[in-house]
């Protein structure tokens, strides 16, 4: 008899798990509070190739494994997955020193960088091309997933009220209140600009006069400028964050000054004490998949596969071991 599963949280992680469980024959309902989760704000960089995102070797392995799953995941969902890689660039000597710490690859000269990305400022001193990174629009992914699973618009305050054989808690920052696990919100501010398509060919991760910014161009002319990272819980878009993001963005790509600002946004990354996700069983009935911090979009396919396997077969893949949810107890 296929298990009756409930997924609490219909963000990118919960929906991906529900979809894979449904494909494996489980009967699944997703309960979602209807708040915009971090997925709504996320830039959608799939940046497993950028060593700076690796906080541990085990997390690095998980990120790489998930990056490999993305082409098939996106194709099954019918969402585009552009992939000309990330150009990491630096303006000043200090920026270069900071950026180079992350560069395990060959450094590109200013001429080589501008040949790849002509819109970059002539002030760019050097760069590094991470060719295997891709990007995806998380809003399109969530929309496609919602068409494939049964979503009930309901906030869950007590897991005991959920009528199911197996309950998977994937409630982002809401996971702490439901489980007592240490998932905290890390505030991120981000801007969306709009202009003619084609200004940028790559995702740019840039260091500009001590500020770090990333620029994610979409095919329709949208450019995402992100993102701040602060231990705060408020939802304010602040003047200082907008100034810092735009100053760094326009220093790196001067033509961005002509684009229209279409959205200013705040999201909260669900983060843990070691900034690695919590993945696994809490008890015979309850599992958790939360705390994906800066990489929840990238980690959605591997999380979905590993958690679906655990629910359906009872087998825990060895990749899960370092992310045991009880590790902070
Ligand atoms: C500014 C910013 C930029 C980012 N950029 C990237 C990026 O480029 N690449 C990347 O990989 N990641 C990025 N992230 C991180 C990524 O957005 C998160 O890791 C990811 O969204 C986590 O997914 P989730 O489904 O666990 O949580 P969320 O996306 O936050 O979704 C949680 C869902 O649970 C629901 N919920 C909460 N509590 C309850 C409850 N009690 N009952 C029912 N439902 C509930 C909410 O309504 C929400 O729909 C970024 C995040 C931010 C803030």
């Amino acid at each position: 008899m296929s298990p009756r599963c409930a997924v609490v949280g219909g963000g990118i992680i919960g929906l991906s798990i529900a979809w894979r469980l449904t494909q494996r024959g489980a009967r699944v309902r997703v309960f979602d509070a209807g708040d915009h989760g971090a997925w709504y704000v996320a830039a959608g960089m799939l940046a497993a190739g950028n060593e700076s995102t690796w906080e541990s070797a085990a997390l690095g392995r998980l990120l790489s494994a998930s990056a490999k799953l993305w082409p098939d995941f996106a194709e099954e969902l019918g969402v585009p997955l552009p992939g000309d890689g990330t150009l990491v660039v630096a303006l000043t000597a200090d920026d270069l020193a900071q950026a180079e710490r992350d560069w395990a690859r060959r450094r590109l000269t200013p001429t080589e960088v501008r040949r790849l990305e002509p819109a970059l400022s002539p002030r760019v001193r050097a760069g590094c091309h991470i060719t295997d990174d891709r990007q995806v629009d998380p809003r399109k992914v969530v929309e496609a997933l919602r068409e494939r699973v049964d979503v009930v618009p309901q906030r869950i305050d007590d897991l005991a009220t959920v009528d199911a054989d197996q309950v998977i808690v994937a409630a982002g920052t809401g996971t702490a209140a439901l489980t007592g696990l240490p998932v905290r919100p890390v505030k991120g501010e981000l801007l969306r600009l709009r202009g003619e398509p084609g200004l940028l060919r790559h995702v740019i991760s840039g260091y500009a006069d001590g500020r770090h910014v990333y620029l994610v161009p979409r095919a329709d002319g949208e450019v995402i400028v992100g993102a701040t990272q602060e231990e705060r819980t408020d939802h304010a878009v602040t003047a200082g964050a907008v100034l810092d993001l735009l100053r760094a963005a326009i220093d790196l790509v001067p033509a961005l000054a002509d684009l229209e600002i279409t959205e200013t946004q705040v999201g909260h990354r669900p983060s843990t004490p070691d900034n690695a996700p919590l993945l696994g069983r809490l008890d015979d009935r309850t599992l958790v998949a939360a705390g994906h911090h800066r990489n929840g979009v990238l980690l959605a396919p591997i999380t979905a596969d590993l958690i679906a396997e655990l629910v359906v077969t009872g087998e825990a893949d060895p990749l899960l071991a370092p992310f045991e949810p009880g590790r902070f107890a």
Side-chain angles (χ1 to χ4, degrees):
M1 184 73 166
S2 58
R4 285 184 315 129
C5 299
V7 177
V8 179
I12 198 158
I13 296 293
L15 291 170
S16 300
I17 294 169
W19 180 43
R20 287 305 192 211
L21 278 170
T22 305
Q23 289 176 323
R24 297 189 65 164
R27 290 166 292 161
V28 189
R29 280 194 304 168
V30 178
F31 294 91
D32 187 66
D35 315 328
H36 279 321
W39 62 269
Y40 188 75
V41 177
M45 289 181 297
L46 308 178
N50 183 347
E51 290 82 353
S52 67
T53 65
W54 295 16
E55 315 226 353
S56 76
L59 182 56
R61 280 193 293 278
L62 198 70
L63 293 168
S64 296
S66 205
K68 290 197 183 87
L69 297 177
W70 257 106
D72 287 345
F73 194 79
E75 195 180 325
E76 276 184 78
L77 288 175
V79 295
L81 190 71
D84 289 326
T86 303
L87 263 184
V88 188
V89 297
L91 276 191
T92 67
D94 285 349
D95 294 330
L96 184 55
Q98 192 181 351
E100 265 186 330
R101 270 185 256 136
D102 297 335
W103 294 357
R105 293 153 214 255
R106 190 177 75 80
R107 190 209 280 195
L108 302 174
T109 64
T111 311
E112 288 172 320
V113 173
R114 279 171 43 83
R115 198 175 297 135
L116 285 170
E117 198 58 86
L120 280 167
S121 161
R123 287 180 58 214
V124 167
R125 278 183 168 244
C128 155
H129 191 190
I130 301 172
T131 49
D132 34 12
D133 281 359
R134 296 166 189 271
Q135 57 131 320
V136 72
D137 183 340
R139 295 180 184 179
K140 290 206 169 90
V141 177
V142 165
E143 192 184 320
L145 285 166
R146 281 189 177 159
E147 287 166 7
R148 288 161 172 80
V149 299
D150 178 15
V151 183
V152 182
Q154 185 183 334
R155 177 180 297 279
I156 301 296
D157 294 313
D158 179 355
L159 296 178
T161 63
V162 179
D163 178 23
D165 304 323
Q166 295 282 290
V167 179
I168 299 110
V169 183
T173 56
T175 302
L178 287 164
T179 62
L181 289 166
V183 181
R184 71 184 197 288
V186 174
K187 182 181 176 185
E189 296 182 53
L190 177 148
L191 309 168
R192 286 169 199 262
L193 312 179
R194 187 169 291 278
E196 292 300 318
L199 173 64
L200 292 173
R201 302 170 183 171
H202 303 82
V203 171
I204 308 291
S205 169
Y207 295 83
D209 292 316
R211 297 181 184 84
H212 179 252
V213 72
Y214 56 74
L215 310 170
V216 182
R218 303 268 197 244
D220 62 1
E222 183 173 77
V223 178
I224 293 168
V225 181
T228 62
Q229 187 162 316
E230 283 183 285
E231 297 286 338
R232 294 177 68 103
T233 55
D234 66 271
H235 289 79
V237 175
T238 63
V242 172
L243 178 67
D244 279 352
L245 290 171
L246 284 179
R247 185 183 287 164
I250 293 169
D251 279 352
L252 289 163
V253 179
L256 288 176
D258 295 329
L259 271 58
E260 180 186 358
I261 300 176
T262 52
E263 292 181 45
T264 55
Q265 288 176 321
V266 171
H268 292 91
R269 303 167 185 89
S271 306
T272 64
D274 60 6
N275 289 332
L278 306 170
L279 305 173
R281 253 191 201 286
L282 294 180
D283 57 44
D284 289 348
R285 191 178 94 108
T286 320
L287 298 93
V288 68
H292 291 73
H293 189 46
R294 293 190 300 180
N295 289 302
V297 180
L298 171 54
L299 289 171
I302 192 84
T303 302
D305 282 0
L306 296 174
I307 297 292
E309 176 77 9
L310 186 56
V311 171
V312 173
T313 69
E315 298 291 326
D317 187 291
L319 266 178
L320 282 173
F323 308 106
E324 163 55 38
R327 67 185 181 276
F328 304 113

